[in-house]
Amino acid sequence: MLKAHSSVTALLRYTGISIPDKVATCRNITCMQHLFGAVRWRSKFTAAPLLTAQPARALIDEQIAIQGRFLPPHWPVTVRAHMHSEEGDLWEAFSHYKTNENGVVNLTTDHSVGGSYVGCEPMGLFWALQPAPSAREGLRLRKKDVETPYVVQLSLWEGHVSSSKRPIEDEQTAGRLAASTVERWYMTPHTRRVEIRQNGIVGTLFLPSGPGPFPAMVDLWGMGGGLNEYRSALFASKGIASLSLAYFGHKDIPGPLDELNVGDDYFRSAYNLLQDHPEVCGERIGLIGLSYGVYLVLRMATHIGVKPMCVIGINGPLGSYDKFPGIKSGDVVNYQMLDEHGNFSLRHFTMPSMIPKENQIKFEMLECPLLCIVGEDDYNCASMETANEIEEILRAAGKAQLFTRLSYPGAGHLIEPPYSPNARVSLWTVKPKKINAIWGGHPAPHAAAQEDAWKKMLDFIEYNLRK
Amino acid sequence: MSARRAPVPWLSVRPCRALADERWTVFSVERAPPAAELTVHALLRSEDGDDWEACGHYVSDAAGAVDVCEDVCVGGTYSGVEPMGLLWSLRPVPGSRPNLRLRKKDIGTPMVVTISLHQGFHTAGFPERRPLASLAVERWYLAPGVRRVELTEGGVTGTLFLPPGPGPFPAVLDMWGGGGGLVEYRAALVASHGFVTLALDYMAPKRSAGVVSLVGNDYFEAAFSVLQSHPQVSRDRIAILGLSFGASMALGLSVYSPAIKPSCLVCFSGSHVQPAGGSLGDIFAEFRKNSKNTRYDEEQQVIWRDLLLPIPSDPSKKVDVGRLCCPLLLIVGEDDQNWPAEESARDMKEMMDRSGNGHLLSVLSYPLTGHLIDPPYSPHCRASNFMTTESREKFVVLWGGQTPAHCGAQEDSWWKTLDFLKKHLCYGPQSDITSCP
C-alpha cells in the first residue's frame, strides 16, 4: 500500500491533514501508516474493501485462494462462509484474522486467531462449516445431486464476529465490507452420469469425458444405505470411471428396506458390468469401500471369483458382524448397538474378536494391494484393531507387501473427499425413537486426514490401475 | 497375467470452468505415445448452431507429455507458445455459412469448448476421427454471484450487472456500436471484476408513423443518472466504456453534456469526428453524407473508414476534446477498416496537447489490429455480415486485422483497460506515494 521510502512530509502533504500533537513527535513510518491507513480507507478516493476467491468455480478437492484487500493495516476482520444444503439447512463458518501492514488478509498463508478454526487453514471455511444455531440437530452435509455445485457465499466483516455473538443476516450490512461467491463442483464438464438399473444392479456409473477406455472403481458405502454418488463423480472427473453401487436401503432393490437382500451374485454382476463396459478397461478395475462397504469389497476381492487390481478400505471391519446376506439395520432397536450414551456405534461388534469366524474375510486369498485407511478416533468401527489384525494375517500368509496403512490421529469414521465438514455425531434413525450415530473425529485433524488420504488414494489408484 | 492394454492418454485443462478472460494455468497431455506428432483440437457450437474449430500441432516428449502452456505449437490455426491459441484462433468449420461472427447472447450460460487430442498432425476431418482423449471446458462471462437485472427505468433500456456484496461499487456505462442489438458480454465480464455495469441499449431505432428516429442525448443523460442514483453505485466513480459508435458518443457526451461527467473514458475503435454537440442521429447523417467514400476490397467487402476522412480542421465538425476534464484511454487498431481510429487518435492528441490537457490522454495503438477489439481469447473477426441500423440493409463489412496480432491486442488492451478503470475509479487521483497492489 505505501512504499517503504515514502516520507512523512509527503504523507502530510497528500492527506492535507494535520497530525495531532501526540503523534507529531512519532515520525516513523509504521505509526504514520497506521494512521494514514485508517484515514485513507474512509476517504472517497480509496478502493473499497475487496474479497476475492480463486478459482471461483472449483472442483470439491481444489484449494480456493481467498484474499481480502484494501483494508486498514493491522485490522481485525472476519471472513464468513455460508451456504444452504439441498435440504435447506443453513451452514456457516467464521474465521478471525488481522490484516497485514498492507491491509491484506490472505487465507492461504495467514493464521486464523479464532472462530470456527485456528491456525493456517486455507480451506478451513469449507471443512469447518457447521449448521447455524437455528438449524435442525444431527445434520450431516452430503450432496445428492452431483451435477450441480454447492454455492458458497463468502463475506468480509469488520472486527471479530460470529453467529454465537449475534445472528448474522444477509440484509444486515453494518460491518459487512465485501462479498464473493464460489461454486464447488463434484463433476468436471462432460463427465457423464449414467443411471444403472440392469441385470438387477442398482447403481450410478460415472464415466470420464473422452472415448476411453478407462480404469474403473467399484465404490461402496456403509449401512446407512441408499446411494452416495459424490466420490464416484470425483473419480470420474480425474479420469477413473466409477460405479457407485447400492446394496441396502434403496427402493429399487427388491426386498425389505431394512434388510440386506443381495448376495455374492449381485456384486459379481456389478463387477462384470464394469468389466464388460466398452469404455472400461476390464483389466484395470479396483474396489473402494467405507465402513461395512470395506467388508463387501474385501469379500469381492477374495470370495466371488473376480480379480480386481487393488482394494481401498476406509474404516471397515474384517468380517460381517451378522449373517451376510440378511443383516438387518433394525437390530439397532435391540440397543445392543448403542454405546453407553445411547448413540449407535458398531465399535464393539466390529472388534476382530467379536466377528464370527465364519464371517471373516480370508485374507490369505487376497491377491492385490490393499490400502487400509484408519481414523484413530473412529467411534463407529474398530478400525485400528481391524487394521492391526489384517496386517498380522497378511504377514503370516507371506503377503505383507500387499498391505499399506494410512492411520490418522484425531480422524473419525467418515473419511470423505477433502474440504467437507465432518459430522462427529449425526442422526441415525427416528424409529422407534430418535437415535444418533457417533462417528468420531475432531474437526482439524479429521480435515487434514481427508485431504491427505484423498491424495494418497488417488496416487494408489493411479499406480495400481494405470501401470 | 495377460498383457494389459496401455493406459490411454489423458488431457488436463485447469481451470475447467473459467471466466472468458482467464488464462489456463494447466493444459497438459499425459501418457501419449512418446516423441509423437499430436494435434489438439477445439470445437465450439455457437448459439446460432454454427461450429467453430481450431487446432494446434505439438510433439510429445520422451515421456509422452505435452505442456500446451509452455511448448511450441508447430502448426495448425496458431503457432508458437500460445496457451490460449485454441480459443482465439477459432474459426467457422468448412462448409459453414459465410461471414460469421461469434458473440454470446445468453451470458447466464457458459460457452462450452470441447478439446480433443488426436494422433498425427491434422488440420481437417476431425468429426470423422476418433480422438485419443477429450474433455470440455466452460468459459463464463459472469462470475458466480454477479446479478443480471434487466432495466427499463426512466425510459432507459439496458442490462445492469451487480457484483456480490454491499458496495457501493464504482460503475461503468458500457456502450457497443452498431448492428447486432444489445451486447452484454463485455459488461458482464467487467462486472465480474467488481464494477456495477450498465450495458446500454441505445441503437434500436424508434419507428413511428413511418419515421425512423434514434435516441437523443437526453437518453444517455438519463442512463448516466440511473447509474449515479443506484444505491450500490458510488455516484462520483463512474466511467464510460465505448466501442465504435459507443466511443464516439462517449466523447461527445463527456464534453458537451452538463449531466454526464465520468471519472474516466475508455474508447475502443472510435472517432471524435462528429457534429460538435450533436446527437447519434447527427453521426449517422455524417456517414450518409459521405457514403460516396465507401470502398470495397477484392472480395467486395465494405470499407467504411473513409466516410469520416479526412479529419476536418473545422472545429464544428469534431468533438472539442481539448475541453475534456477526465482521463481518456483510446484503443486503436491500426488496420481498422471500419472507422479511422488511428487518424482520429492522432488528431485528438494534437488537439489535447494544444489545449494543455494532453496529460489526460493515453493511447494504445496496435499494428495489424482491426475494428472489433473484443475481450481476450475471442476469435478474431476480419469481416462479417452486418445490417445497418436505420435502413436495415445487409452488407459484408471489412473490420480488418490479422488474427495473431489482433488477438494479442485484445488481451493486452483488456488488462490495460481494467487497470485504467481501477486506477481512476478505485484509487482516485494518483500521487507518487500511493501504489496499489
Side-chain angles (χ1 to χ4, degrees), chain A residues 121-193:
Chain A
E121 298 285 358
M123 293 296 281
L125 281 176
F126 301 105
W127 59 250
L129 283 168
Q130 286 294 301
S134 54
R136 301 178 291 158
E137 286 182 356
L139 295 177
R140 193 173 150 188
L141 188 66
R142 291 197 284 180
K143 196 85 167 56
K144 288 202 177 61
D145 178 4
V146 294
E147 293 178 296
T148 55
Y150 274 137
V151 178
V152 185
Q153 313 289 348
L154 302 169
S155 48
L156 186 65
W157 297 77
E158 200 174 326
H160 288 167
V161 299
S162 70
S163 254
S164 57
K165 290 183 185 165
R166 55 172 181 162
I168 298 227
E169 305 295 334
D170 286 334
E171 304 80 54
Q172 185 184 316
T173 55
R176 184 164 164 255
L177 304 172
S180 186
T181 305
V182 294
E183 293 175 2
R184 298 182 68 220
W185 294 78
Y186 280 96
M187 287 167 68
T188 50
H190 281 200
T191 296
R192 291 160 289 158
R193 178 182 176 275

Side-chain angles (χ1 to χ4, degrees), chain B residues 17-341:
Chain B
R17 293 183 174 92
L19 277 186
D21 62 1
E22 257 185 280
R23 285 190 150 236
W24 293 315
T25 52
V26 171
F27 189 154
S28 64
V29 174
E30 293 164 84
R31 297 194 299 272
E37 292 181 348
L38 299 166
T39 301
V40 283
H41 178 256
L43 181 67
L44 165 68
R45 172 151 296 177
S46 73
E47 285 164 320
D48 301 322
D50 302 294
D51 283 344
W52 293 62
E53 66 175 359
C55 62
H57 297 160
Y58 294 87
V59 180
S60 58
D61 65 13
V66 175
D67 183 350
V68 172
C69 293
E70 307 250 329
D71 294 352
V72 176
C73 171
V74 297
T77 56
Y78 65 98
S79 61
V81 179
E82 294 285 355
M84 309 301 290
L86 277 182
L87 287 181
W88 55 253
S89 69
L90 282 169
R91 62 209 43 194
V93 300
S96 295
R97 303 177 291 154
N99 306 311
L100 293 175
R101 189 170 157 189
L102 187 70
R103 292 203 284 185
K104 191 87 166 63
K105 290 199 179 60
D106 176 10
I107 47 83
T109 58
M111 290 192 297
V112 180
V113 182
T114 304
I115 296 177
S116 54
L117 178 71
H118 299 260
Q119 185 113 37
F121 285 165
H122 305 284
T123 51
F126 291 97
E128 292 81 51
R129 246 179 262 287
R130 185 184 149 96
L132 298 174
S134 82
L135 52 72
V137 295
E138 293 177 0
R139 309 286 297 175
W140 290 80
Y141 283 103
L142 262 191
V146 177
R147 281 177 298 141
R148 178 185 176 275
V149 178
E150 285 179 22
L151 189 77
T152 40
E153 186 186 308
V156 174
T157 310
T159 310
L160 202 58
F161 292 96
L162 297 154
F169 302 101
V172 178
L173 177 61
D174 183 301
M175 305 201 294
W176 266 90
L182 181 59
V183 171
E184 297 184 2
Y185 56 84
R186 188 176 60 195
L189 210 46
V190 173
S192 300
H193 288 276
F195 301 86
V196 169
T197 58
L198 172 56
L200 185 64
D201 188 2
Y202 68 94
M203 272 295 195
K206 295 185 283 228
R207 294 170 205 280
S208 71
V211 176
V212 174
S213 62
L214 295 163
V215 297
N217 289 350
D218 54 340
Y219 181 84
F220 298 93
E221 288 168 355
F224 195 82
S225 168
V226 161
L227 264 186
Q228 270 185 319
S229 52
H230 193 285
Q232 284 186 280
V233 168
S234 283
R235 57 177 299 124
D236 52 0
R237 296 198 267 149
I238 303 177
I240 306 181
L241 175 61
L243 181 131
S244 198
F245 272 105
S248 297
M249 286 308 301
L251 286 167
L253 293 164
S254 300
V255 170
Y256 298 113
S257 168
I260 296 182
K261 291 286 157 247
S263 301
C264 66
L265 284 179
V266 181
C267 294
F268 287 79
S269 309
S271 175
H272 61 320
V273 175
Q274 56 188 267
S279 68
L280 182 63
D282 293 331
I283 305 182
F284 273 96
E286 276 303 303
F287 275 102
R288 276 198 304 278
K289 249 196 279 173
N290 297 328
S291 59
K292 62 187 182 323
N293 290 347
T294 304
R295 287 189 287 124
Y296 299 87
D297 72 352
E298 57 279 1
E299 290 167 62
Q300 293 308 300
Q301 293 169 138
V302 175
I303 299 169
W304 273 329
R305 72 184 324 273
D306 293 345
L307 268 57
L308 292 182
L309 289 177
I311 307 286
S313 41
D314 179 352
S316 71
K317 292 190 183 324
K318 50 190 183 180
V319 175
D320 186 3
V321 287
R323 283 168 49 183
L324 197 60
C325 300
C326 67
L328 166 64
L329 175 63
L330 291 177
I331 296 166
V332 165
E334 291 172 14
D335 192 44
D336 189 335
Q337 298 298 317
N338 195 251
W339 284 62

Side-chain angles (χ1 to χ4, degrees), chain A residues 287-398:
Chain A
L287 310 175
I288 181 167
L290 172 90
S291 198
Y292 192 77
V294 175
Y295 164 67
L296 293 170
V297 296
L298 286 169
R299 191 179 170 93
M300 284 174 78
T302 57
H303 195 77
I304 66 172
V306 300
K307 288 201 173 321
M309 296 305 299
C310 65
V311 177
I312 299 174
I314 306 171
N315 290 330
L318 50 66
S320 184
Y321 47 89
D322 203 339
K323 60 185 185 301
F324 169 80
I327 199 167
K328 282 186 163 66
S329 68
D331 288 343
V332 174
V333 174
N334 296 335
Y335 305 126
Q336 289 173 30
M337 292 174 183
L338 301 181
D339 68 5
E340 61 271 24
H341 304 289
N343 294 319
F344 166 62
S345 165
L346 287 169
R347 239 194 90 71
H348 174 69
F349 288 92
T350 52
M351 289 294 254
S353 53
M354 292 294 294
I355 307 262
K357 266 275 180 287
E358 64 275 17
N359 293 353
Q360 289 192 15
I361 294 289
K362 295 183 174 40
F363 286 94
E364 57 276 14
M365 307 290 289
L366 189 67
E367 296 287 334
C368 65
L370 168 63
L371 176 64
C372 255
I373 298 175
V374 172
E376 292 177 15
D377 197 53
D378 188 343
Y379 270 65
N380 201 265
C381 180
S383 303
M384 196 141 67
E385 294 85 345
T386 299
N388 292 343
E389 186 70 16
I390 295 176
E391 188 173 12
E392 239 341 281
I393 299 172
L394 284 173
R395 186 177 297 132

Side-chain angles (χ1 to χ4, degrees), chain A residues 204-236:
Chain A
T204 311
L205 176 62
F206 288 88
L207 292 164
S209 56
F214 306 103
M217 297 289 289
V218 180
D219 182 317
L220 291 173
W221 290 72
M223 285 293 283
L227 189 51
N228 288 318
E229 297 184 359
Y230 47 95
R231 190 167 57 197
S232 282
L234 282 171
F235 284 148

Side-chain angles (χ1 to χ4, degrees), chain A residues 1 10 14 40 44-47 57 70 176 179 181 185 187 189-190 209-213 238-239 283-284 309 466-467, chain B residues 4-5 7-8 10 17 31 114 130-131 134-136 140 142 144-145 164-166 236 426-429 431 433-435:
Chain A
M1 188 159 102
Y14 178 78
R40 185 172 179 275
K44 71 171 188 169
F45 287 118
T46 306
R57 292 182 170 96
F70 309 129
R176 184 164 164 255
T181 305
W185 294 78
M187 287 167 68
H190 281 200
S209 56
K238 294 185 185 302
E283 59 265 33
R284 294 176 189 275
M309 296 305 299
R466 292 233 200 250
K467 62 178 188 279
Chain B
R4 296 203 287 179
R5 282 177 286 173
V8 293
W10 181 244
R17 293 183 174 92
R31 297 194 299 272
T114 304
R130 185 184 149 96
S134 82
L135 52 72
W140 290 80
L142 262 191
D236 52 0
C426 299
Y427 313 144
S431 76
I433 300 174
T434 56
S435 74

Side-chain angles (χ1 to χ4, degrees), chain B residues 56 89 95 99 107 164 178 190 298 314 318 336 345 348 353 360 373-374 377 384 410 418 423 430:
Chain B
S89 69
N99 306 311
I107 47 83
V190 173
E298 57 279 1
D314 179 352
K318 50 190 183 180
D336 189 335
M348 281 192 259
D353 283 344
L360 292 176
I373 302 177
D374 253 335
Y377 322 125
S384 71
Q410 287 184 158
L418 287 176
K423 179 171 159 179
Q430 279 306 281

